[in-house]
Amino acid sequence: MACFIVPKVVEGIELQKALRRLKIKLADIKKTYHANGKTLVCLKKRVKTKIDRSLFASGEEEAEIIAIDEFVSRFSYLIDEERRAEIAATMSEIKSISGIEREIYGRAILDLKGTKEPSRLNLYFVKFGRSRIIDTEITSGDIVLISRGEPLKSDLVGTVSEVRRNFITVAFEERPPKWVYTQGIRIDLYVNDVTFKRMEENLQLLRHATNHKRRLRNIALGIWEPKGALKTDVTPVTKLNPTQKDAVSLALGSEAFLIHGPPGTGKTSTLIELIVQEVKRGNKVLATADSNTAVDNMLQRLAKYELTLVRVGHPARILYELEEFSIHAKYAKSLEAEAIRKGWEEVGLLVKERDKYSKPTQARARGMSRDRITTLAARGKSMRGISVATMQSMAKWIKYDNKIEALVKSLKSQEEDAYRKIIESADVVLSTNGMIMSEVLKDHEFDVAVIDEGSQQVIPSTLIPIMHAKRFVIAGDHKQLPPTVVSDTKELKKSLFEDLINRYPKLSQMLRIQYRMNQKIMGFSNEMFYDGKLIADESVKNHTIADLGLQKPSRFCDILDETPVVFVDTRGMEAYERLPDRSTSYENEKEAKIVQTLVEELMEMGAKVENIGIITPYAAQVKLLKKLLDSQERVFEIKSVDGFQGREKEIIIISFVRSNERGEIGFLQDFRRLNVALTRAKRKLICIGDSQTLSHNEVYAKLIEYMQKKGKVRRWNEGA
């Protein structure tokens, strides 16, 4: 297949014109590809042509353009599919299940009453509260739909600013209606459409990247090989272990680097040290993650150092205690802001003055241009039945409107300059990946992008910060949960972090010392997922629940003693799974009752609610456990595996749910979920399941064998 280059992007009529000059018909074209500001035209095999050889692409350039075009086209399609799937899934769930069920799943909050909060940063805040504890997956930065109990009849959307025990604060860009201050308000988690649009926009920028951006793009997509990592001398400002120090040293000397941080190994601490070291070397840093929570976590930790930090994002998505670092708060305190504010006040006065006169609407002006109206008014003439007085009144309206337009343009330019100065003066700019494509940030470039949560992001999201820097470092753990995807597309479930660490293992450093778990809790995941490379730090190696000052258990002593890992076996107990009506998710009532009994005994022993976490892979089991355990006074952290990613508790209880004679374990076979579940506990891990069902799978058989060897496997005895 002969392919030649047109040195600009041409499509449609432009393409036909270019082909005509080369005496080629549109019918002779097999396919065209666009990348690097060029068009690659590939001819059908039968076509004979006398095109100048200088127009033909080299094999390397041809392969690059085709690869980029196909990547951008494919992922643009996948992102749109995911956006549609997410919207459809949200609307379908709102339609098909009750508000009470949706609240149990953590995606709605019912029976709220709004109270007006002070406005700030040009936003209107409403605090929605109730006496009952709010236990929800909805978090700061989420887009929510507010309704009077019927979400499908509402179009009021806001951004969550804060979630506390008994209230949730939501920010609105426009003044909310008065009904939000009444009883019976419902809040539903909604879809953030903007994020998808920004990923698509970045893909189009990436398509025609030049210079170092082209190089980083090609490294990220596996088209070009990166340079090797060079160790850089570093004097840490914090206490680092050898693997953390190596990670920082190698990252400083790389154009692309990956920090592999298994559970509890201090991945974020390593990133903070890296950012501080980059600034010490005079580099401007873009620190990003997919979630606002992760970005704010980095910001909180960087705030201890003498750095100029700027957090870019919707003001409502930034923790209140970190608001001083918000670009909007910094702008409000700037010298320029006061003059600009007075300018906007002047605009308001001009608008009032302008509106005293006749607006030259289409009907009133009768087809005349603004210039024509102004000329006729100056001459004192009427035309087309318009009186001189009306003509002159319209001319005065136009005069004021022109002043307003010029002043608004000037003020917007001044605002842009003020925001640009804030960004340029910063050592570190922190933002979610999507927010980098906002007007405030999209034209800025940084020396290095430091990207957290790399293994939980879809590839187009991670590519946004990469396209705004000269180097990049990604931190993550591809042995934990992959990106969360609704559309069930394999390509979106693989992160760029996983892709790169498999392709360039020498450009990565694994953090090996973990500071969370007793070594016996760590042990199974260490052997199964991390090749036995993890080492428990002395501070946690042998810690147990004995350190919490609990009383001795009066029941289930064999399960609730100081042994770090226990498997409670329900084999032969008729503790079978079931599918509730209208559900595709499994529950197991017997396992739920066992969890309830053990939790009640732990509370009798003196354990605190915040010490205990309950994990189950199935949403229906989450719902059942919440019904059994939660009350007006106390709410336990009961979540799916996905909901517990990044979390930890002193004591974790896992309910595996699946129990059947066929040995089917369904999506328990996603072993990355198993890894996450097993590594949330610090001092005590209790797993509940049917060994006969689970052991049909080799990995679960090994897990039970490990617990027998390093801890205990005990049959459940109600009267123990």
Side-chain angles (χ1 to χ4, degrees):
M1 180 171 65
C3 299
F4 65 91
I5 295 278
V6 178
K8 62 179 180 177
V9 178
V10 286
E11 294 178 280
I13 300 293
E14 283 291 310
L15 177 60
Q16 287 182 45
K17 285 179 182 176
L19 294 176
R20 202 176 298 132
R21 286 193 291 272
L22 297 167
K23 297 181 180 177
I24 295 172
K25 297 173 187 172
L26 207 55
D28 296 334
I29 304 302
K30 184 174 182 181
K31 191 154 186 191
T32 58
Y33 301 89
H34 302 98
N36 299 348
K38 299 174 182 178
T39 302
L40 180 71
V41 180
C42 295
L43 304 172
K44 292 175 181 173
K45 280 186 179 179
R46 60 175 173 75
V47 177
K48 304 273 190 212
T49 178
K50 292 181 180 178
I51 297 171
D52 190 309
R53 297 302 300 174
S54 65
L55 290 176
F56 282 87
S58 68
E60 188 181 324
E61 186 176 24
E62 184 179 312
E64 180 189 352
I65 291 174
I66 290 172
I68 296 302
D69 184 283
E70 288 180 343
F71 174 86
V72 171
S73 299
R74 178 64 180 154
F75 274 89
S76 293
Y77 169 77
L78 292 176
I79 289 166
D80 192 50
E81 285 292 292
E82 177 64 15
R83 181 180 64 82
R84 291 171 191 272
E86 208 170 297
I87 292 168
T90 300
M91 297 314 293
S92 173
E93 187 177 280
I94 289 173
K95 286 175 186 174
S96 63
I97 70 173
S98 69
I100 292 170
E101 285 179 290
R102 195 161 152 83
E103 178 164 48
I104 289 167
Y105 293 142
R107 295 188 284 273
I109 309 169
L110 311 180
D111 306 322
L112 298 163
K113 183 178 186 297
T115 353
K116 194 173 183 180
E117 289 285 288
S119 299
R120 62 181 195 275
L121 303 176
N122 296 320
L123 294 172
Y124 300 90
F125 289 84
V126 179
K127 183 189 279 187
F128 294 95
R130 68 184 189 195
S131 57
R132 195 157 38 98
I133 295 169
I134 291 172
D135 178 28
T136 186
E137 297 292 312
I138 298 170
T139 187
S140 172
D142 283 340
I143 304 294
V144 287
L145 184 64
I146 320 291
S147 69
R148 285 180 272 197
E150 296 181 89
L152 296 174
K153 293 183 179 178
S154 177
D155 60 359
L156 181 62
V157 173
T159 302
V160 176
S161 172
E162 184 181 22
V163 183
R164 297 290 184 187
R165 182 182 169 89
N166 294 98
F167 68 84
I168 176 170
T169 305
V170 179
F172 300 90
E173 293 186 4
E174 304 289 337
R175 192 183 300 276
K178 289 181 180 176
W179 57 258
V180 300
Y181 305 115
T182 59
Q183 289 282 4
I185 299 300
R186 169 175 167 173
I187 291 178
D188 282 86
L189 184 63
Y190 208 49
V191 180
N192 188 353
D193 200 35
V194 175
T195 303
F196 294 102
K197 289 175 182 172
R198 286 175 174 167
M199 283 192 280
E200 287 173 354
E201 187 183 348
N202 187 66
L203 283 174
Q204 296 310 320
L205 292 176
L206 170 148
R207 182 195 287 273
H208 299 296
T210 58
N211 302 323
H212 66 266
K213 289 186 179 183
R214 177 187 172 200
R215 176 163 180 79
L216 285 193
R217 175 199 71 187
N218 288 357
I219 289 169
L221 302 186
I223 298 168
W224 291 351
E225 287 282 320
K227 297 171 189 170
L230 296 173
K231 260 196 171 183
T232 305
D233 287 339
V234 59
T235 305
V237 297
T238 56
K239 189 180 176 185
L240 296 184
N241 65 52
T243 57
Q244 290 173 325
K245 187 175 178 180
D246 283 349
V248 173
S249 173
L250 288 163
L252 288 168
S254 305
E255 59 180 340
F257 196 75
L258 308 162
I259 297 175
H260 180 197
T265 54
K267 172 174 60 68
T268 306
S269 299
T270 308
L271 286 188
I272 298 306
E273 179 70 52
L274 173 62
I275 291 167
V276 172
Q277 292 295 333
E278 290 283 7
V279 173
K280 281 176 77 174
R281 284 159 174 74
N283 292 327
K284 287 183 69 69
V285 181
L286 175 62
T288 79
D290 232 16
S291 73
N292 284 285
T293 303
V295 176
D296 282 341
N297 184 27
M298 285 193 282
L299 177 55
Q300 272 179 316
R301 297 175 76 161
L302 285 168
K304 298 182 220 168
Y305 301 95
E306 290 184 15
L307 303 172
T308 307
L309 307 171
V310 175
R311 172 73 158 93
V312 176
H314 191 295
R317 295 191 177 116
I318 299 165
L319 289 175
Y320 182 74
E321 55 267 34
L322 298 173
E323 207 171 78
E324 64 180 288
F325 299 106
S326 159
I327 192 166
H328 302 288
K330 285 179 178 283
Y331 167 78
K333 291 177 182 175
S334 68
L335 295 172
E336 295 91 340
E338 180 60 22
I340 292 168
R341 185 185 62 76
K342 286 179 179 175
W344 285 113
E345 286 175 2
E346 189 182 341
V347 168
L349 294 171
L350 287 170
V351 167
K352 282 183 183 177
E353 201 60 36
R354 179 196 65 185
D355 291 348
K356 292 176 183 176
Y357 301 100
S358 302
K359 185 177 180 179
T361 59
Q362 198 170 359
R364 188 176 283 150
R366 298 179 190 176
M368 285 188 288
S369 68
R370 285 186 164 202
D371 286 345
R372 184 69 174 145
I373 291 167
T374 304
T375 302
L376 290 168
R379 293 176 182 170
K381 290 188 175 181
S382 65
M383 187 173 274
R384 299 182 188 177
I386 302 168
S387 69
V388 172
T390 301
M391 195 77 76
Q392 290 179 334
S393 182
M394 286 195 294
K396 284 181 180 176
W397 191 98
I398 291 166
K399 181 183 174 184
Y400 277 106
D401 195 59
N402 288 340
K403 274 187 185 177
I404 291 165
E405 192 177 320
L407 185 52
V408 166
K409 188 177 178 181
S410 170
L411 290 169
K412 284 185 175 178
S413 176
Q414 289 173 51
E415 280 181 346
E416 285 172 14
D417 287 345
Y419 279 111
R420 189 176 65 254
K421 276 184 189 175
I422 293 167
I423 297 289
E424 288 173 352
S425 67
D427 297 319
V428 186
V429 173
L430 299 102
S431 165
T432 58
N433 294 345
M435 201 66 200
I436 296 165
M437 291 303 292
S438 66
E439 290 301 318
V440 172
L441 209 47
K442 66 191 292 186
D443 295 327
H444 290 272
E445 188 177 277
F446 297 82
D447 294 308
V448 60
V450 176
I451 306 162
D452 199 3
E453 295 186 328
S455 50
Q456 295 169 253
Q457 304 167 9
V458 294
I459 290 173
S461 176
T462 312
L463 287 169
I464 297 175
I466 288 174
M467 283 295 96
H468 286 76
K470 297 170 186 172
R471 296 164 41 231
F472 67 87
V473 177
I474 312 176
D477 180 13
H478 54 301
K479 304 297 183 181
Q480 294 189 62
L481 290 178
T484 303
V485 174
V486 178
S487 58
D488 200 34
T489 308
K490 281 185 180 178
E491 289 156 286
L492 285 180
K493 287 181 178 176
K494 190 172 186 181
S495 67
L496 188 63
F497 180 90
E498 182 178 4
D499 201 21
L500 290 173
I501 205 166
N502 290 333
R503 191 182 290 133
Y504 311 122
K506 289 182 179 177
L507 286 178
S508 69
Q509 171 68 45
M510 178 176 163
L511 308 180
R512 294 184 55 197
I513 300 171
Q514 71 83 15
Y515 302 89
R516 175 186 296 163
M517 296 163 271
N518 178 291
Q519 63 181 344
K520 290 179 180 175
I521 296 172
M522 174 193 80
F524 181 76
S525 283
N526 189 22
E527 295 302 323
M528 185 60 59
F529 302 103
Y530 302 108
D531 301 321
K533 292 178 180 176
L534 293 184
I535 301 162
D537 186 71
E538 287 296 325
S539 63
V540 300
K541 186 177 178 179
N542 296 308
H543 68 186
T544 68
I545 57 170
D547 308 321
L548 301 177
L550 305 182
Q551 298 171 23
K552 297 287 183 189
S554 57
R555 296 187 301 157
F556 317 112
C557 304
D558 224 16
I559 296 169
L560 298 177
D561 64 6
E562 295 167 21
T563 308
V565 289
V566 181
F567 185 89
V568 178
D569 193 357
T570 63
R571 177 169 57 89
M573 288 180 54
E574 296 188 358
Y576 292 124
E577 67 193 44
R578 64 181 287 272
L579 277 173
D581 292 341
R582 298 183 297 108
S583 175
T584 56
S585 179
Y586 288 94
E587 67 179 24
N588 187 316
E589 190 174 359
K590 184 64 182 175
E591 282 192 19
K593 289 282 178 63
I594 292 171
V595 173
Q596 181 186 25
T597 307
L598 292 176
V599 167
E600 285 172 353
E601 183 61 26
L602 281 166
M603 297 300 286
E604 287 292 321
M605 291 164 63
K608 297 175 182 176
V609 171
E610 56 267 28
N611 292 156
I612 303 167
I614 300 157
I615 302 175
T616 179
Y618 290 94
Q621 188 77 343
V622 170
K623 178 181 172 183
L624 179 57
L625 286 163
K626 282 178 179 287
K627 280 183 178 177
L628 289 173
L629 284 164
D630 287 351
S631 67
Q632 189 83 6
E633 295 76 36
R634 66 183 196 194
V635 172
F636 290 93
E637 197 159 346
I638 307 169
K639 295 180 188 287
S640 67
V641 182
D642 299 55
F644 245 103
Q645 173 101 332
R647 310 277 296 124
E648 59 182 40
K649 291 285 181 181
E650 302 292 346
I651 303 160
I652 287 285
I653 303 174
I654 303 171
S655 167
F656 285 119
V657 177
R658 300 308 298 266
S659 175
N660 55 71
E661 292 172 355
R662 304 173 303 282
E664 292 177 359
I665 65 168
F667 86 124
L668 289 185
Q669 291 179 88
D670 183 344
F671 301 126
R672 288 187 288 193
R673 277 195 164 77
L674 175 63
N675 183 29
V676 172
L678 295 176
T679 55
R680 301 305 98 194
K682 295 166 78 173
R683 300 168 190 271
K684 180 87 174 176
L685 173 66
I686 303 170
C687 296
I688 303 168
D690 181 339
S691 64
Q692 194 166 351
T693 299
L694 296 174
S695 292
H696 277 76
N697 181 278
E698 186 184 355
V699 172
Y700 282 88
K702 285 181 179 177
L703 171 64
I704 295 165
E705 185 184 328
Y706 173 85
M707 294 193 119
Q708 178 76 67
K709 186 178 174 184
K710 298 290 185 181
K712 296 178 182 178
V713 174
R714 294 290 183 266
R715 298 287 295 278
W716 177 251
N717 180 357
E718 192 75 57

